[in-house]
Amino acid sequence: MSDESATFSGEQSHRTKGLVRLTMACNERCPFCNVPQEDYPRLTPPDDDVMAQLDDFVSTGSQTLTISGGEPTLLRKKLVALVKEGRARGIPFVELQTNAVLITDEYARELAEAGVTSAFVSLLSHVPEHHDALAGLADAFPRCLRGIDAMLDAGIAVTLNPVTARRTQALVADYVEFVGTRLPRIKFISMSAVQPHGRARGQSDLLLPDYDVLKTSIREARARADAHGISLLNPYCGLPLCVGWDDDLDSSVEAFEAEGGGWRETPGLDNVGNKAHGAPCARCALRTRCGGAWHDYWDVRGGRGLQAPLPIVEPWSPGADVAPGQLVVACKCGVSEAALAQIDASSLPTRWVWTDTLRRGDDEALLRSHTTDLALELDSVDPDAHRATLTVLRKLIGASASLQPQVRLRVFLGVRAGPDTNPAALLRVLGLGAALGVDAVRVLDGSPRCRKVVEVFRATTSGFDAEAVASRAL
């Protein structure tokens, strides 16, 4: 692995990075800035506070010290001193987050000699007027390019960070083409997008890109990147997987951290207060690898452009065993250790346990495992015949309900029904499923009369997923 690749690999993971903000002052005024200087009564912390941040970073044993702001290059002497101190303490990678407009050839050499290994530069667009408008600074574009060239000449690896906004959403592929042609030494681009925080709060309709446009633009950009040997990264502040990234999970921070970081300890998916899943996410097999979309995107755009790129196939449906992205483990008479071992050994994003019984303790075992979805199949519509199983199910749903959507155990309840099924009893089971909080109820191999009961129930129970379906046997 080259030094440049090693640096970028270290910077990809939240687990190996630590952020020190040297100052919150900035010479640009980006309309989308999520940490605007006006939010900070004290723009530059005392030197002792900065050193305390460095001490905390060193104590973690992390790999990449990221020096950010504001704009850290405003404080040249302090910046150089902090870089030297970090490298002297054994930190292997020092990343500088910068808009690059102040960086000259001399400044770049000084940073490289101090120990800066990489830079994360906000080149916001390849179109000068778009870049300057998004940077909030006249003539920022040529100065940013000058700074990038200077750092590359000094041996500092550069990753670009175009923060895609509504005005640049259709130009993403052209941006990559520009980089490949004008800046061929750059091999990494982090495809951020405007997030509705900081200055962008309340301006989502003007600034947030349209995902229906971006899902095409991103795929075109990825094709251009491949042609130029450029690696694109979908960062946490990037896009949901269905917006052009569903077939490249290894390049999406949320996805590869969710897979590599343990089932319910996933920093890339720690999005409380920021993102949410919506209706299109409910049946997505990639749910466990994606944090969803910003709350404002659901509120302002209604989730436009978001849809499940890889729908789940429920275990009782034909073809479930070979559906891409999912594993189905069937077990009768309760959840076995062997079944859970098979689940835990899998790396697929959706992992079903399909059973006809839940015994005491199965709820805790399921939640400890990497099970993502439960299909519970009852052989009759008589709840009394399944009282013990339903008691465990109630505990399981209650324990899982407080988790974020991408790590919550999704529960599907299947009920066998035939020509002699009592409609009132079937309605009771449907109502019980809704009351328990299962994600869906399926009436398996129901008669025409059963199907009619389900239609009536759905019409009178707003938003609940109930359906009569043909099925295979457990």
Side-chain angles (χ1 to χ4, degrees):
M1 178 181 290
S2 68
D3 291 342
E4 185 180 42
S5 298
T7 299
F8 188 71
S9 297
E11 292 165 7
Q12 281 182 316
S13 174
H14 293 303
R15 290 184 188 82
T16 62
K17 294 182 76 169
L19 184 70
V20 172
R21 294 194 184 276
L22 190 62
T23 180
M24 300 313 301
C26 190
N27 53 344
E28 293 189 338
R29 193 169 178 83
C30 304
F32 57 82
C33 181
N34 66 332
V35 285
Q37 61 181 11
E38 58 267 24
D39 286 356
Y40 295 84
R42 186 178 65 181
L43 292 180
T44 302
D47 293 348
D48 288 347
D49 288 2
V50 174
M51 286 301 109
Q53 292 181 61
L54 181 61
D55 290 340
D56 290 343
F57 174 81
V58 171
S59 69
T60 68
S62 297
Q63 296 292 301
T64 301
L65 172 65
T66 297
I67 302 175
S68 186
E71 177 49 50
T73 60
L74 288 169
L75 305 179
R76 183 167 177 168
K77 290 183 179 179
K78 288 188 176 184
L79 172 58
V80 170
L82 179 59
V83 174
K84 289 180 177 178
E85 181 67 17
R87 292 305 299 270
R89 296 198 193 186
I91 297 171
F93 304 126
V94 176
E95 174 195 58
L96 173 65
Q97 291 189 350
T98 178
N99 57 41
V101 301
L102 296 179
I103 296 179
T104 61
D105 290 345
E106 181 186 359
Y107 199 168
R109 286 193 296 270
E110 188 175 6
L111 291 170
E113 290 168 3
V116 171
T117 53
S118 65
F120 193 71
V121 180
S122 51
L123 179 64
L124 302 174
S125 174
H126 65 293
V127 180
E129 55 265 36
H130 290 335
H131 174 88
D132 291 357
L134 290 171
L137 180 66
D139 296 322
F141 179 76
R143 295 162 67 188
C144 179
L145 284 182
R146 179 199 64 189
I148 292 170
D149 288 335
M151 286 188 286
L152 290 169
D153 289 343
I156 296 173
V158 174
T159 294
L160 296 181
N161 179 38
V163 184
T164 304
R166 191 169 180 83
R167 70 189 296 155
T168 56
Q169 62 190 13
L171 304 175
V172 178
D174 291 342
Y175 178 95
V176 173
E177 186 67 33
F178 170 84
V179 173
T181 304
R182 168 63 179 79
L183 299 163
R185 290 178 290 178
I186 289 180
K187 296 303 177 184
F188 302 104
I189 303 175
S190 181
M191 303 299 297
S192 298
V194 167
Q195 48 186 305
H197 308 130
R199 291 193 190 123
R201 186 178 292 112
Q203 300 188 71
S204 294
D205 199 39
L206 295 173
L207 290 171
L208 270 182
D210 186 331
Y211 292 170
D212 205 33
V213 174
L214 268 183
K215 65 184 178 184
T216 299
S217 297
I218 289 294
R219 293 194 186 281
E220 292 176 356
R222 287 173 51 199
R224 300 275 189 95
D226 287 344
H228 286 286
I230 298 171
S231 296
L232 301 189
L233 178 73
N234 184 28
Y236 174 75
C237 52
L239 298 165
L241 290 177
C242 58
V243 187
W245 292 100
D246 56 277
D247 58 342
D248 189 12
L249 271 59
D250 288 342
S251 296
S252 292
V253 167
E254 289 182 343
F256 64 66
E257 288 205 348
E259 180 178 351
W263 171 226
R264 291 191 172 89
E265 296 179 359
T266 51
L269 297 177
D270 184 9
N271 55 34
V272 175
N274 291 328
K275 299 180 183 179
H277 283 193
C281 313
R283 297 189 59 78
C284 183
L286 300 179
R287 166 186 69 108
T288 62
R289 299 290 189 265
C290 180
W294 306 113
H295 293 299
D296 265 25
Y297 197 83
W298 299 110
D299 296 340
V300 175
R301 299 275 163 75
R304 173 181 163 86
L306 300 175
Q307 62 186 62
L310 192 63
I312 57 170
V313 180
E314 296 164 22
W316 33 65
S317 301
D321 285 334
V322 294
Q326 71 175 44
L327 169 72
V328 176
V329 179
C331 48
K332 292 188 176 183
C333 302
V335 181
S336 68
E337 291 185 7
L340 295 183
Q342 191 176 350
I343 289 286
D344 289 348
S346 174
S347 62
L348 292 173
T350 292
R351 306 168 212 179
W352 291 91
V353 167
W354 181 19
T355 186
D356 57 2
T357 306
L358 290 176
R359 302 162 303 186
R360 193 162 83 177
D362 281 351
D363 53 329
E364 297 174 355
L366 284 165
L367 289 175
R368 284 195 304 267
S369 75
H370 289 193
T371 304
T372 67
D373 294 73
L374 172 68
L376 176 61
E377 180 176 325
L378 306 181
D379 60 9
S380 74
V381 298
D382 180 9
D384 292 334
H386 307 283
R387 186 177 300 275
T389 287
L390 293 174
T391 297
V392 177
L393 180 64
R394 181 179 289 107
K395 288 178 59 182
L396 176 63
I397 292 174
S400 178
S402 62
L403 300 174
Q404 295 180 64
Q406 67 274 20
V407 296
R408 182 177 62 81
L409 186 68
R410 192 163 42 185
V411 177
F412 290 72
L413 180 62
V415 183
R416 291 282 167 191
D420 299 328
T421 297
N422 185 305
L426 179 54
L427 274 174
R428 183 184 172 198
V429 169
L430 291 168
L432 178 62
L436 285 172
V438 301
D439 291 87
V441 175
R442 300 290 180 249
V443 178
L444 307 176
D445 296 321
S447 65
R449 184 169 63 170
C450 290
R451 294 175 183 274
K452 184 65 176 177
V453 170
V454 174
E455 291 174 9
V456 171
F457 182 81
R458 290 181 63 177
T460 57
T461 309
S462 178
F464 186 70
D465 187 359
E467 189 177 357
V469 298
S471 71
R472 59 178 186 152
L474 173 62

